[in-house]
Amino acid sequence: VLETRPPPQQAREGRRSSLASDDFAGFKDAAPSLEANVLEATDEQAVMVDTAAMQWIAEAIKASGEANEVFRKLFKRPISNNPLVAFKAVCLVHYLIIHGPPDFWLLALRQDKFLEWVQSSWSREAIAGGGAGSAHPKAARFSGGEIAFFAAFLRM
C-alpha cells in the first residue's frame, strides 16, 4: 500500500490547493501575497526553488495583468550580495517566461537592466575580483559564472 501525501501547496499553512482567478481579483489586495510568494521563491536557504510559490506568482500575474510588480519585488531582494537569491531570481524569471502570461517574455526583454545587474554581479570576473557578493560563503559554488550565463541567456 502506497502512502499518498498532499501536494506541497496543500501542506503549507494558509495556502489554497487550487488557484482560481477569483483569488486574484483586485490585484492591490493580492500585492502582499505576491511579495510573500516572491520572497518564498527567492529565499536565501540552500534548498530547492519553491515551485508552488512560482506557480502562484504565474497565476497571479496572469489574472491581474501586473507582471511589472514581480520585477519591482525582485529589485528589493539582495541579489548582488547573495548568490542563492540571484540564482533563484533568474530561475523565477525563466519560469514566468515559460508558464506566465504570454507577453511576459516581452516584459523580461524590457527588463534588461535587471538581468544585466544579475549578470554583472555574478560573472566569473566579479566573483574572482572580490565583487560585493564574493564574500558570501556560497559564492564559490557559482565561481564559474553560472548565474551570469543564465542571466545572459535570458537577455537574448
Side-chain angles (χ1 to χ4, degrees), residues 33-46:
S33 296
L34 179 70
E35 184 165 5
N37 279 284
V38 169
L39 289 174
E40 272 187 53
T42 61
D43 71 351
E44 300 174 10
Q45 302 301 315

Side-chain angles (χ1 to χ4, degrees), residues 15-24 52 55-60:
R15 189 179 293 275
R16 293 183 180 185
S17 62
S18 65
L19 299 172
S21 60
D22 294 344
D23 294 339
F24 309 108
Q55 179 186 8
W56 191 97
I57 294 166
E59 294 299 324

Side-chain angles (χ1 to χ4, degrees), residues 24-35 38 56-74 92 96 100-104 107-108 110-111:
F24 309 108
F27 185 72
K28 297 304 176 192
D29 297 336
S33 296
L34 179 70
E35 184 165 5
V38 169
W56 191 97
I57 294 166
E59 294 299 324
I61 62 174
K62 280 181 191 176
S64 68
E66 291 288 334
N68 278 325
E69 284 298 312
V70 173
F71 285 101
R72 287 189 191 109
K73 305 300 181 201
L74 286 175
L92 176 60
L96 293 175
D103 59 345
F104 188 84
L107 176 65
R110 287 194 306 264
Q111 292 292 335

